Amino acid sequence: AVVGGLTFTQLATIANGACGLTSGGATYCWGLQTSGATLDTPTLLAAPSFTRITGGAGSFCALDAGGTAYCWGSNAAGQLGDGTTTSRDTPAPVSGALTFTDIDGGGNTHVCALTAEGRAHCWGNNANGQLGDGSTTQRLTPTPVTGGIAFAQLHTGGLHTCGVTTGGFAFCWGANGGGQIGDGTSGGNGGTGTGPRRLADVAVPPVLVHNPLPEYPRRARRRGRGGALPHVRQGGCFGG
C-alpha cells in the first residue's frame, strides 16, 4: 500500500507519478516531478481544494468546487492551458476565466473540458486535429470545439478525442490511423480521408459516428491511447 495511511476518493496517474484527492479535496502527489525531484511518499500539494483530477502523459489537471481548472506538470505542448509552454510542479489556473463541470487530460499532450452548457474546450497538442477546432494549430489556452455541439461526456485519447452528446450520439475527431474516429474510414485525420493526408490540408471538425451496432449495454469505456469511445446509445466499438 502507499505509505502514509491516507485515504483517497480519486487518483490520477502519469508516466512517472501519481496524485490523489482526499475526501476533503486535499491533493497529495508522489513520483518524479518536472523539476527532476522525486517524491517517494505522498506529499501535500499547495493547491485549492479539488473535486476532480485527471492525468495525462506528463501533466495533471483538476477542477475546484467552483469549476475553475488548474493544471501542472509538463507543458511542452501547452497542455497546462496557461498561455505558456513553461512546465511547473504546482497547480496554476487555466487561462480564460472559464468554469467547467468535467475535465479529461488522458490524451498524449492535450486536455479537454466541458462547461455547464456542455460546450467542449480543448488545449495543447493539435498536430492531428485532436482539439477539434478545425485546425492543426497548437493551442496554449482553452479553445472551443467547432460545431456548437452540446456534450454530456468527453474523453481524450492519445491523439484523438471523443464525446457523447446529451442525446447519446458519439462524435470523434483527431488521428484516424486505426479507424478510431468510427466514421467508416481509416487513415489521415478526423475521418476526412481514407489514406494519409498532409496535415496542412486537413481541417478536423468533429465527425458523427455512424452505423452503430444495435442494443449493447449503455456503457462507454475509453480503451486508452489509440482506442476510442463506443457509441453510447446503441453500442459498438471501433479503432485499432
Side-chain angles (χ1 to χ4, degrees), residues 119-120 132-134 144-151 171 204-207:
R119 304 305 179 191
D133 66 347
V145 170
T146 61
I149 301 164
F151 291 102
F171 285 75
V204 196
V207 177

Side-chain angles (χ1 to χ4, degrees), residues 85-216:
T85 55
T86 302
S87 300
R88 63 182 74 247
D89 286 335
T90 56
V94 169
S95 297
L98 294 164
T99 57
F100 301 107
T101 58
D102 199 9
I103 190 167
D104 191 85
N108 189 9
T109 48
H110 76 288
V111 179
C112 292
L114 288 180
T115 68
E117 297 75 28
R119 304 305 179 191
H121 292 72
C122 300
W123 58 94
N125 181 21
N126 197 28
N128 295 89
Q130 57 265 50
L131 303 189
D133 66 347
S135 80
T136 54
T137 302
Q138 174 179 282
R139 305 294 183 184
L140 305 184
T141 59
T143 302
V145 170
T146 61
I149 301 164
F151 291 102
Q153 298 180 39
L154 205 61
H155 298 274
T156 56
L159 296 172
H160 72 294
T161 305
C162 289
V164 176
T165 69
T166 53
F169 293 101
F171 285 75
C172 296
W173 54 95
N176 196 35
Q180 58 264 49
I181 301 305
D183 67 342
T185 73
S186 63
N189 300 288
T192 57
T194 55
R197 305 259 324 255
R198 288 195 312 161
L199 294 182
D201 296 336
V202 179
V204 196
V207 177
L208 176 63
V209 175
H210 76 290
N211 193 29
L213 300 175
E215 300 306 323
Y216 281 82

